[in-house]
Amino acid sequence: MRPRTAWQAMAQRPLSFLTSSWPWRSLAYLATGVVVGAAAVAVFVTGLAVGLVLLVVLVGVAPLMGAVLSSICVATVERRRLRLVDLDPMADPHRRPAEPGLRAWVSTRLQEQVTWRELLFTLISAAALWWLDLLVLMFCFGLPALLFTSLRDGSTWPWAVFASLVLLASPYTVTSWAGARAALARTFLAPRDAELGESLRKVQASRIRLIDSFDAERGRIERDLHDGAQQRLVSLAMTLGLMRLDIPGGSPLAAQLTAAEEQLAAAHQELRSLVRGLHPPVLADHGLVAAVQDHAGRFPIPVAVDLELPGRLPRPLETHVYYLINEAMTNIARHSGATRAEVHGRYHSDLLVLEITDDGRGGADPDAGSGLTGLADRLTALDGRMRVSSPVGGPTLLHVEIPCHFA
Protein backbone atom coordinates (compact mmCIF):
# COMPACT_ATOMS: atom_id res chain seq x y z
CA MET A 1 0.00 0.00 0.00
CA ARG A 2 1.36 3.38 -0.97
CA PRO A 3 2.04 5.51 2.14
CA ARG A 4 -0.17 8.55 2.55
CA THR A 5 1.77 10.25 5.35
CA ALA A 6 5.39 10.67 6.34
CA TRP A 7 4.79 8.55 9.42
CA GLN A 8 3.43 5.68 7.30
CA ALA A 9 6.38 5.88 4.92
CA MET A 10 8.86 5.72 7.81
CA ALA A 11 7.04 2.85 9.52
CA GLN A 12 6.47 0.69 6.43
CA ARG A 13 9.98 0.90 4.94
CA PRO A 14 12.46 2.28 7.49
CA LEU A 15 15.49 1.80 5.22
CA SER A 16 14.18 2.64 1.76
CA PHE A 17 12.46 5.60 3.42
CA LEU A 18 15.88 7.29 3.48
CA THR A 19 16.04 7.35 -0.33
CA SER A 20 12.47 8.59 -0.78
CA SER A 21 11.23 12.16 -0.91
CA TRP A 22 9.56 11.97 2.51
CA PRO A 23 12.59 13.12 4.60
CA TRP A 24 12.97 16.15 2.33
CA ARG A 25 9.26 16.87 2.46
CA SER A 26 9.38 16.68 6.27
CA LEU A 27 12.38 19.01 6.31
CA ALA A 28 10.53 21.47 4.09
CA TYR A 29 7.50 21.22 6.37
CA LEU A 30 9.49 22.15 9.47
CA ALA A 31 11.52 24.84 7.70
CA THR A 32 8.41 26.51 6.36
CA GLY A 33 6.84 26.01 9.79
CA VAL A 34 9.48 28.29 11.27
CA VAL A 35 8.76 30.92 8.61
CA VAL A 36 4.97 30.56 8.90
CA GLY A 37 5.16 30.59 12.71
CA ALA A 38 7.17 33.77 12.77
CA ALA A 39 4.79 35.29 10.24
CA ALA A 40 1.84 34.11 12.37
CA VAL A 41 3.22 36.06 15.30
CA ALA A 42 3.50 39.15 13.13
CA VAL A 43 0.06 38.71 11.58
CA PHE A 44 -1.58 37.96 14.90
CA VAL A 45 -0.02 40.96 16.60
CA THR A 46 -0.89 43.16 13.62
CA GLY A 47 -4.49 41.97 13.70
CA LEU A 48 -4.78 42.76 17.40
CA ALA A 49 -3.14 46.13 16.88
CA VAL A 50 -5.51 47.08 14.08
CA GLY A 51 -8.40 45.91 16.21
CA LEU A 52 -7.24 48.05 19.12
CA VAL A 53 -6.96 51.06 16.82
CA LEU A 54 -10.52 50.51 15.67
CA LEU A 55 -11.72 49.87 19.21
CA VAL A 56 -13.12 53.37 19.38
CA VAL A 57 -15.45 52.64 16.47
CA LEU A 58 -16.32 49.02 17.13
CA VAL A 59 -16.19 48.60 20.88
CA GLY A 60 -15.09 45.11 21.90
CA VAL A 61 -15.52 43.55 18.46
CA ALA A 62 -12.56 44.90 16.50
CA PRO A 63 -9.76 43.20 18.48
CA LEU A 64 -11.61 39.89 18.37
CA MET A 65 -12.22 40.14 14.62
CA GLY A 66 -8.59 41.03 14.05
CA ALA A 67 -7.51 37.89 15.89
CA VAL A 68 -10.11 35.77 14.07
CA LEU A 69 -9.06 37.04 10.64
CA SER A 70 -5.42 36.36 11.47
CA SER A 71 -6.19 32.81 12.64
CA ILE A 72 -8.20 32.07 9.48
CA CYS A 73 -5.25 33.17 7.33
CA VAL A 74 -2.81 31.05 9.34
CA ALA A 75 -5.13 28.02 9.21
CA THR A 76 -5.57 28.33 5.44
CA VAL A 77 -1.81 28.34 4.92
CA GLU A 78 -1.38 25.41 7.32
CA ARG A 79 -3.96 23.28 5.47
CA ARG A 80 -2.05 23.78 2.22
CA ARG A 81 1.32 23.22 3.87
CA LEU A 82 0.11 19.99 5.45
CA ARG A 83 0.15 18.31 2.02
CA LEU A 84 3.93 18.11 2.34
CA VAL A 85 3.69 15.32 4.92
CA ASP A 86 0.06 14.19 4.60
CA LEU A 87 -1.34 13.47 1.13
CA ASP A 88 -4.96 13.21 2.27
CA PRO A 89 -6.64 16.53 1.44
CA MET A 90 -8.27 18.50 4.23
CA ALA A 91 -11.54 20.13 3.29
CA ASP A 92 -12.29 23.67 4.35
CA PRO A 93 -14.89 23.29 7.12
CA HIS A 94 -16.15 26.89 6.94
CA ARG A 95 -19.75 27.31 5.80
CA ARG A 96 -20.78 29.73 3.12
CA PRO A 97 -22.76 32.63 4.62
CA ALA A 98 -26.48 32.49 3.95
CA GLU A 99 -26.48 36.13 2.80
CA PRO A 100 -23.94 38.29 1.01
CA GLY A 101 -22.09 41.04 2.83
CA LEU A 102 -19.52 41.49 5.58
CA ARG A 103 -22.03 41.36 8.41
CA ALA A 104 -23.32 37.90 7.39
CA TRP A 105 -19.75 36.64 6.93
CA VAL A 106 -18.69 37.84 10.38
CA SER A 107 -21.82 36.41 12.01
CA THR A 108 -21.27 33.01 10.33
CA ARG A 109 -17.61 32.81 11.28
CA LEU A 110 -18.19 33.73 14.91
CA GLN A 111 -20.83 30.99 15.23
CA GLU A 112 -18.60 28.21 13.87
CA GLN A 113 -16.61 25.99 16.22
CA VAL A 114 -13.81 25.65 13.70
CA THR A 115 -13.14 29.41 13.96
CA TRP A 116 -12.28 29.07 17.63
CA ARG A 117 -10.19 25.96 16.98
CA GLU A 118 -8.25 27.90 14.36
CA LEU A 119 -7.75 30.73 16.82
CA LEU A 120 -6.44 28.30 19.45
CA PHE A 121 -4.15 26.63 16.90
CA THR A 122 -2.76 30.01 15.87
CA LEU A 123 -1.99 30.85 19.50
CA ILE A 124 -0.27 27.48 20.01
CA SER A 125 1.64 27.85 16.75
CA ALA A 126 2.80 31.35 17.58
CA ALA A 127 3.71 30.53 21.17
CA ALA A 128 5.28 27.07 20.85
CA LEU A 129 5.13 25.12 17.59
CA TRP A 130 7.45 27.21 15.46
CA TRP A 131 9.94 27.38 18.34
CA LEU A 132 9.88 23.58 18.53
CA ASP A 133 10.37 23.39 14.74
CA LEU A 134 13.41 25.61 15.09
CA LEU A 135 14.68 23.60 18.06
CA VAL A 136 14.43 20.29 16.16
CA LEU A 137 16.22 21.76 13.13
CA MET A 138 18.95 23.26 15.29
CA PHE A 139 19.46 19.95 17.10
CA CYS A 140 19.59 17.92 13.89
CA PHE A 141 21.76 20.27 11.84
CA GLY A 142 22.98 23.19 13.93
CA LEU A 143 24.44 21.07 16.74
CA PRO A 144 26.42 18.74 14.39
CA ALA A 145 27.71 21.77 12.49
CA LEU A 146 28.81 23.37 15.77
CA LEU A 147 30.52 20.16 16.95
CA PHE A 148 32.30 19.63 13.64
CA THR A 149 33.47 23.24 13.77
CA SER A 150 34.79 22.77 17.31
CA LEU A 151 37.02 19.89 16.16
CA ARG A 152 39.39 22.48 14.75
CA ASP A 153 39.95 23.73 18.29
CA GLY A 154 41.27 20.33 19.47
CA SER A 155 38.05 18.69 20.71
CA THR A 156 38.16 14.93 21.18
CA TRP A 157 36.82 12.42 18.64
CA PRO A 158 33.76 11.27 20.70
CA TRP A 159 32.14 14.59 19.90
CA ALA A 160 32.65 13.89 16.19
CA VAL A 161 31.03 10.46 16.61
CA PHE A 162 28.11 12.01 18.48
CA ALA A 163 27.69 14.68 15.81
CA SER A 164 27.76 12.04 13.07
CA LEU A 165 25.11 9.96 14.84
CA VAL A 166 22.86 12.98 15.28
CA LEU A 167 23.25 13.85 11.61
CA LEU A 168 22.59 10.28 10.44
CA ALA A 169 19.47 10.08 12.61
CA SER A 170 18.20 13.47 11.45
CA PRO A 171 15.82 12.08 8.74
CA TYR A 172 13.99 10.05 11.39
CA THR A 173 14.07 12.84 13.97
CA VAL A 174 12.78 15.44 11.52
CA THR A 175 10.10 13.13 10.14
CA SER A 176 8.94 12.05 13.60
CA TRP A 177 8.37 15.62 14.74
CA ALA A 178 6.89 16.61 11.36
CA GLY A 179 4.39 13.73 11.65
CA ALA A 180 3.48 14.68 15.21
CA ARG A 181 3.07 18.32 14.25
CA ALA A 182 0.91 17.39 11.25
CA ALA A 183 -1.29 15.17 13.44
CA LEU A 184 -1.75 18.07 15.86
CA ALA A 185 -2.63 20.43 13.01
CA ARG A 186 -5.15 17.98 11.59
CA THR A 187 -6.73 17.59 15.05
CA PHE A 188 -7.42 21.31 15.25
CA LEU A 189 -8.08 22.18 11.60
CA ALA A 190 -9.83 19.14 10.09
CA PRO A 191 -13.62 19.37 9.86
CA ARG A 192 -15.67 17.40 12.35
CA ASP A 193 -18.43 15.02 11.28
CA ALA A 194 -21.11 17.54 12.19
CA GLU A 195 -19.37 20.21 10.11
CA LEU A 196 -19.09 17.81 7.18
CA GLY A 197 -22.74 16.85 7.45
CA GLU A 198 -24.08 19.78 5.45
CA SER A 199 -21.42 19.40 2.76
CA LEU A 200 -22.02 15.68 2.51
CA ARG A 201 -25.75 16.24 2.20
CA LYS A 202 -25.15 18.72 -0.60
CA VAL A 203 -22.82 16.32 -2.39
CA GLN A 204 -25.29 13.48 -1.99
CA ALA A 205 -28.15 15.64 -3.26
CA SER A 206 -25.99 16.68 -6.20
CA ARG A 207 -25.25 13.04 -7.03
CA ILE A 208 -28.93 12.15 -6.82
CA ARG A 209 -29.75 15.02 -9.19
CA LEU A 210 -27.08 13.85 -11.61
CA ILE A 211 -28.31 10.26 -11.57
CA ASP A 212 -31.94 11.38 -11.88
CA SER A 213 -31.04 13.63 -14.81
CA PHE A 214 -29.14 10.76 -16.42
CA ASP A 215 -32.10 8.43 -16.01
CA ALA A 216 -34.43 11.13 -17.33
CA GLU A 217 -32.18 11.58 -20.34
CA ARG A 218 -32.17 7.82 -20.83
CA GLY A 219 -35.98 7.89 -20.84
CA ARG A 220 -36.01 10.76 -23.33
CA ILE A 221 -33.69 8.85 -25.67
CA GLU A 222 -35.94 5.80 -25.34
CA ARG A 223 -39.00 7.86 -26.30
CA ASP A 224 -37.19 9.48 -29.24
CA LEU A 225 -36.05 6.10 -30.54
CA HIS A 226 -39.49 4.58 -30.06
CA ASP A 227 -41.46 7.44 -31.57
CA GLY A 228 -38.90 8.45 -34.18
CA ALA A 229 -36.45 5.83 -35.45
CA GLN A 230 -38.72 2.85 -34.86
CA GLN A 231 -41.63 4.50 -36.66
CA ARG A 232 -39.40 5.35 -39.60
CA LEU A 233 -38.26 1.75 -39.82
CA VAL A 234 -41.86 0.56 -39.76
CA SER A 235 -42.71 3.06 -42.49
CA LEU A 236 -39.75 1.89 -44.54
CA ALA A 237 -40.86 -1.73 -44.15
CA MET A 238 -44.31 -0.82 -45.44
CA THR A 239 -42.75 0.99 -48.41
CA LEU A 240 -40.67 -2.07 -49.27
CA GLY A 241 -43.80 -4.22 -49.01
CA LEU A 242 -45.62 -1.97 -51.49
CA MET A 243 -42.64 -2.10 -53.83
CA ARG A 244 -42.79 -5.91 -53.81
CA LEU A 245 -46.30 -5.75 -55.26
CA ASP A 246 -44.93 -4.05 -58.39
CA ILE A 247 -41.91 -6.36 -58.89
CA PRO A 248 -42.08 -9.80 -60.57
CA GLY A 249 -41.42 -12.63 -58.16
CA GLY A 250 -38.42 -14.20 -59.90
CA SER A 251 -36.55 -11.04 -60.89
CA PRO A 252 -33.07 -10.13 -59.49
CA LEU A 253 -34.60 -6.99 -57.99
CA ALA A 254 -36.96 -9.15 -55.92
CA ALA A 255 -34.00 -11.01 -54.41
CA GLN A 256 -32.33 -7.72 -53.50
CA LEU A 257 -35.60 -6.50 -52.02
CA THR A 258 -35.83 -9.66 -49.90
CA ALA A 259 -32.28 -9.09 -48.58
CA ALA A 260 -33.14 -5.46 -47.78
CA GLU A 261 -36.25 -6.57 -45.87
CA GLU A 262 -34.20 -9.08 -43.84
CA GLN A 263 -31.61 -6.44 -42.93
CA LEU A 264 -34.39 -4.03 -42.04
CA ALA A 265 -36.04 -6.63 -39.81
CA ALA A 266 -32.71 -7.31 -38.07
CA ALA A 267 -32.10 -3.58 -37.53
CA HIS A 268 -35.63 -3.19 -36.19
CA GLN A 269 -35.09 -6.07 -33.76
CA GLU A 270 -31.77 -4.61 -32.53
CA LEU A 271 -33.41 -1.21 -32.05
CA ARG A 272 -36.27 -2.77 -30.08
CA SER A 273 -33.75 -4.54 -27.84
CA LEU A 274 -31.90 -1.26 -27.32
CA VAL A 275 -35.09 0.62 -26.48
CA ARG A 276 -36.16 -2.13 -24.09
CA GLY A 277 -32.76 -1.96 -22.35
CA LEU A 278 -32.93 1.82 -21.99
CA HIS A 279 -36.26 1.87 -20.20
CA PRO A 280 -38.04 -1.48 -20.15
CA PRO A 281 -41.83 -1.19 -20.15
CA VAL A 282 -42.01 -4.24 -17.89
CA LEU A 283 -40.34 -2.21 -15.13
CA ALA A 284 -43.05 0.44 -15.23
CA ASP A 285 -45.89 -2.07 -15.65
CA HIS A 286 -44.90 -4.99 -13.41
CA GLY A 287 -42.12 -3.79 -11.11
CA LEU A 288 -38.53 -4.59 -10.27
CA VAL A 289 -38.74 -8.39 -9.94
CA ALA A 290 -40.37 -8.87 -13.34
CA ALA A 291 -37.95 -6.44 -14.98
CA VAL A 292 -34.88 -8.22 -13.58
CA GLN A 293 -36.27 -11.59 -14.64
CA ASP A 294 -36.96 -10.25 -18.12
CA HIS A 295 -33.43 -8.87 -18.41
CA ALA A 296 -31.95 -12.13 -17.11
CA GLY A 297 -33.92 -14.07 -19.71
CA ARG A 298 -32.22 -12.11 -22.50
CA PHE A 299 -28.76 -12.19 -20.89
CA PRO A 300 -25.96 -13.94 -22.84
CA ILE A 301 -25.17 -16.27 -19.90
CA PRO A 302 -27.61 -18.13 -17.62
CA VAL A 303 -28.72 -16.02 -14.66
CA ALA A 304 -30.75 -17.41 -11.77
CA VAL A 305 -32.99 -14.75 -10.23
CA ASP A 306 -34.15 -15.21 -6.64
CA LEU A 307 -35.63 -11.84 -5.79
CA GLU A 308 -38.51 -11.49 -3.32
CA LEU A 309 -40.01 -8.15 -2.25
CA PRO A 310 -43.10 -7.43 -0.13
CA GLY A 311 -44.36 -4.92 -2.68
CA ARG A 312 -43.27 -2.31 -5.16
CA LEU A 313 -40.59 0.18 -4.29
CA PRO A 314 -41.10 3.90 -4.86
CA ARG A 315 -40.72 4.60 -8.57
CA PRO A 316 -37.39 6.53 -8.46
CA LEU A 317 -35.78 3.99 -6.13
CA GLU A 318 -37.09 1.10 -8.21
CA THR A 319 -35.49 2.60 -11.31
CA HIS A 320 -32.16 3.13 -9.50
CA VAL A 321 -32.08 -0.44 -8.18
CA TYR A 322 -32.96 -1.88 -11.60
CA TYR A 323 -30.12 -0.04 -13.32
CA LEU A 324 -27.75 -0.97 -10.50
CA ILE A 325 -28.50 -4.67 -11.06
CA ASN A 326 -28.33 -4.10 -14.80
CA GLU A 327 -24.87 -2.51 -14.54
CA ALA A 328 -23.62 -5.29 -12.27
CA MET A 329 -24.76 -7.93 -14.75
CA THR A 330 -23.18 -5.99 -17.61
CA ASN A 331 -19.87 -6.02 -15.73
CA ILE A 332 -20.18 -9.79 -15.37
CA ALA A 333 -20.72 -10.24 -19.11
CA ARG A 334 -17.86 -7.91 -20.08
CA HIS A 335 -15.12 -8.68 -17.58
CA SER A 336 -15.66 -11.87 -15.58
CA GLY A 337 -15.62 -14.67 -18.15
CA ALA A 338 -18.37 -16.33 -16.11
CA THR A 339 -20.56 -19.19 -17.34
CA ARG A 340 -23.41 -18.52 -14.91
CA ALA A 341 -24.56 -15.88 -12.44
CA GLU A 342 -27.16 -15.39 -9.74
CA VAL A 343 -29.14 -12.44 -8.41
CA HIS A 344 -30.47 -12.91 -4.88
CA GLY A 345 -32.46 -10.27 -3.02
CA ARG A 346 -34.46 -9.98 0.18
CA TYR A 347 -35.98 -7.20 2.27
CA HIS A 348 -34.99 -7.13 5.95
CA SER A 349 -35.90 -4.39 8.46
CA ASP A 350 -36.10 -1.42 6.08
CA LEU A 351 -33.05 -2.69 4.20
CA LEU A 352 -32.95 -4.16 0.69
CA VAL A 353 -30.11 -6.70 0.58
CA LEU A 354 -28.86 -7.81 -2.85
CA GLU A 355 -26.21 -10.42 -3.60
CA ILE A 356 -24.99 -10.79 -7.19
CA THR A 357 -22.57 -13.67 -7.75
CA ASP A 358 -20.80 -15.21 -10.72
CA ASP A 359 -18.34 -18.08 -11.28
CA GLY A 360 -15.88 -15.96 -13.31
CA ARG A 361 -12.16 -15.41 -12.98
CA GLY A 362 -12.47 -12.99 -10.04
CA GLY A 363 -9.92 -10.31 -9.22
CA ALA A 364 -12.41 -7.43 -9.30
CA ASP A 365 -11.02 -4.36 -7.50
CA PRO A 366 -13.35 -1.43 -6.65
CA ASP A 367 -10.32 0.89 -6.31
CA ALA A 368 -8.93 0.13 -9.76
CA GLY A 369 -11.39 2.31 -11.65
CA SER A 370 -13.40 -0.66 -12.98
CA GLY A 371 -17.12 -0.86 -13.65
CA LEU A 372 -17.66 -1.12 -9.90
CA THR A 373 -16.97 2.62 -9.62
CA GLY A 374 -20.29 3.46 -11.28
CA LEU A 375 -22.09 1.11 -8.91
CA ALA A 376 -20.40 2.74 -5.92
CA ASP A 377 -21.43 6.21 -7.12
CA ARG A 378 -25.04 5.14 -7.59
CA LEU A 379 -25.08 3.50 -4.15
CA THR A 380 -23.62 6.61 -2.53
CA ALA A 381 -26.50 8.62 -3.92
CA LEU A 382 -28.91 6.07 -2.45
CA ASP A 383 -27.09 6.10 0.93
CA GLY A 384 -26.32 2.42 0.37
CA ARG A 385 -23.27 0.25 1.00
CA MET A 386 -21.37 -2.22 -1.13
CA ARG A 387 -18.90 -4.99 -0.31
CA VAL A 388 -17.02 -7.01 -2.90
CA SER A 389 -15.43 -10.42 -2.44
CA SER A 390 -13.51 -11.39 -5.57
CA PRO A 391 -10.44 -13.57 -5.01
CA VAL A 392 -8.32 -14.37 -8.04
CA GLY A 393 -9.87 -17.41 -9.67
CA GLY A 394 -13.35 -16.51 -8.43
CA PRO A 395 -16.08 -16.62 -7.51
CA THR A 396 -17.11 -12.97 -7.21
CA LEU A 397 -19.74 -11.81 -4.71
CA LEU A 398 -21.22 -8.32 -4.80
CA HIS A 399 -23.12 -7.58 -1.56
CA VAL A 400 -25.32 -4.47 -1.64
CA GLU A 401 -27.44 -2.93 1.13
CA ILE A 402 -29.91 -0.11 0.33
CA PRO A 403 -32.17 1.58 2.90
CA CYS A 404 -35.74 1.65 1.63
CA HIS A 405 -39.38 1.64 2.72
CA PHE A 406 -42.37 0.06 1.05
CA ALA A 407 -45.66 1.85 0.88
Side-chain angles (χ1 to χ4, degrees), residues 2 12 23 32 47 88 91 97 208 268 283 294 358 375 379:
R2 183 182 177 184
Q12 291 177 6
T32 55
D88 293 328
I208 292 176
H268 193 192
L283 178 63
D294 177 71
D358 66 77
L375 298 179
L379 278 172

Side-chain angles (χ1 to χ4, degrees), residues 126-146:
L129 291 183
W130 77 281
W131 290 102
L132 292 174
D133 294 342
L134 182 60
L135 181 62
V136 170
L137 293 176
M138 290 301 298
F139 175 78
C140 291
F141 304 105
L143 180 60
L146 181 63

Side-chain angles (χ1 to χ4, degrees), residues 135-151 159-170:
L135 181 62
V136 170
L137 293 176
M138 290 301 298
F139 175 78
C140 291
F141 304 105
L143 180 60
L146 181 63
L147 292 177
F148 283 129
T149 302
S150 66
L151 292 178
W159 291 111
V161 175
F162 176 72
S164 300
L165 292 176
V166 171
L167 196 58
L168 289 174
S170 61

Side-chain angles (χ1 to χ4, degrees), residues 149-197:
T149 302
S150 66
L151 292 178
R152 301 175 184 175
D153 301 331
S155 299
T156 57
W157 63 267
W159 291 111
V161 175
F162 176 72
S164 300
L165 292 176
V166 171
L167 196 58
L168 289 174
S170 61
Y172 299 100
T173 306
V174 169
T175 304
S176 297
W177 170 240
R181 194 191 197 287
L184 179 65
R186 183 172 284 276
T187 300
F188 279 95
L189 304 180
R192 301 292 191 265
D193 292 341
E195 295 165 348
L196 282 173

